[in-house]
Amino acid sequence: MIKNLMRGLVPLALVLSPLAAPAASAGVQLFPDALAELTEAAEDPAGYREAAFPHWDEGLDAADGCDTRAEVLLAEAVEAPATGGGCALTGGRWTSYYDGQSVTDPALLRVDHLVPLAEAWASGASGWTAARRAKYANDQGAAATLTAVTARSLRAKAGQDPAEWVPDGNAAYCRYVGEWVGTKLRWGLTVDKDEMEALKLFADGPCEETVVQRSTAPR
């Protein structure tokens, strides 16, 4: 699938726009250089359960009445929604970059962990404390970690890594693999052999000029 998506496409320079305040240690790298810093290791999915990553928490502002999911929706809105009691959102408009769809009903959106929780667990998070997994699951310190997308595109992704699924379209998938690598580096997660090989195809081809935002996750 990945090779078919890449065939005939041209390189694309992509600077990822921050949607949340970047960490103090933030920087940028070209995608091939960032990819080279990842550690390759076999995944270990044993023992995964979603409850190991508590979410959603009270968000960045405990006083605003909005949880992390709602705060992500507010941050990513192209047109701001109205906010009612209990942080109920109505109206507004979003663009789901996984499938390019414009959405005007927040109920139709899902906030995706770009590197899925099960993937994070199998790539190193199984050894974290519960508190650190909660920080990962609610991470708004880097714009890429959480993103608002359509429910349909999230079902298509189905928790797969870039060896199995990326969004359609040059701009979307170069952004996606760049954000995937940036998130794994931010949290010190590993990549498996097939995942690395797929990412190298992008790094050696259409996404070699993609810019990856770098930051270090909180401890």
Side-chain angles (χ1 to χ4, degrees), residues 81-102:
T83 306
C87 199
L89 305 182
T90 55
R93 184 169 65 86
W94 293 261
T95 299
S96 165
Y97 93 80
Y98 286 5
D99 54 11
Q101 295 298 304
S102 180

Side-chain angles (χ1 to χ4, degrees), residues 183-202:
T183 301
K184 287 224 160 177
L185 288 170
R186 173 172 168 79
W187 287 91
L189 298 170
T190 61
V191 293
D192 65 29
K193 184 175 183 295
D194 290 345
E195 183 183 350
M196 178 65 86
E197 289 180 354
L199 291 168
K200 283 180 177 177
L201 288 175
F202 291 108

Side-chain angles (χ1 to χ4, degrees), residues 132-211:
R132 185 161 176 80
R133 287 194 292 267
K135 288 180 180 178
Y136 177 82
N138 297 280
D139 182 19
Q140 294 188 71
T145 312
L146 301 170
T147 187
V149 298
T150 60
R152 180 178 62 181
S153 66
L154 189 56
R155 286 194 298 270
K157 177 179 174 179
Q160 300 174 99
D161 71 26
E164 303 162 309
W165 184 90
V166 293
D168 289 335
N170 188 300
Y173 71 60
C174 282
R175 173 181 171 180
Y176 184 82
V177 296
E179 292 185 340
W180 183 278
V181 169
T183 301
K184 287 224 160 177
L185 288 170
R186 173 172 168 79
W187 287 91
L189 298 170
T190 61
V191 293
D192 65 29
K193 184 175 183 295
D194 290 345
E195 183 183 350
M196 178 65 86
E197 289 180 354
L199 291 168
K200 283 180 177 177
L201 288 175
F202 291 108
D204 294 339
C207 303
E208 64 180 339
E209 295 182 17
T210 294
V211 174

Side-chain angles (χ1 to χ4, degrees), residues 21-172:
S25 57
V28 295
Q29 278 183 301
L30 287 176
F31 179 59
D33 297 328
L35 179 60
E37 293 190 23
L38 284 172
T39 299
E40 186 176 320
E43 291 185 355
D44 183 6
Y48 168 72
R49 54 193 179 88
E50 186 176 344
F53 295 83
H55 62 289
W56 305 105
D57 67 10
E58 62 189 7
L60 296 177
D61 183 359
D64 68 1
C66 298
D67 63 12
T68 294
R69 178 186 180 277
E71 288 185 355
V72 170
L73 291 178
L74 288 166
E76 296 194 1
V78 178
E79 296 175 4
T83 306
C87 199
L89 305 182
T90 55
R93 184 169 65 86
W94 293 261
T95 299
S96 165
Y97 93 80
Y98 286 5
D99 54 11
Q101 295 298 304
S102 180
V103 179
T104 55
D105 181 355
L108 300 179
L109 292 166
R110 302 294 181 267
V111 173
D112 184 34
H113 295 89
L114 188 121
V115 174
L117 300 179
E119 172 75 22
W121 175 274
S123 303
S126 61
W128 296 350
T129 63
R132 185 161 176 80
R133 287 194 292 267
K135 288 180 180 178
Y136 177 82
N138 297 280
D139 182 19
Q140 294 188 71
T145 312
L146 301 170
T147 187
V149 298
T150 60
R152 180 178 62 181
S153 66
L154 189 56
R155 286 194 298 270
K157 177 179 174 179
Q160 300 174 99
D161 71 26
E164 303 162 309
W165 184 90
V166 293
D168 289 335
N170 188 300

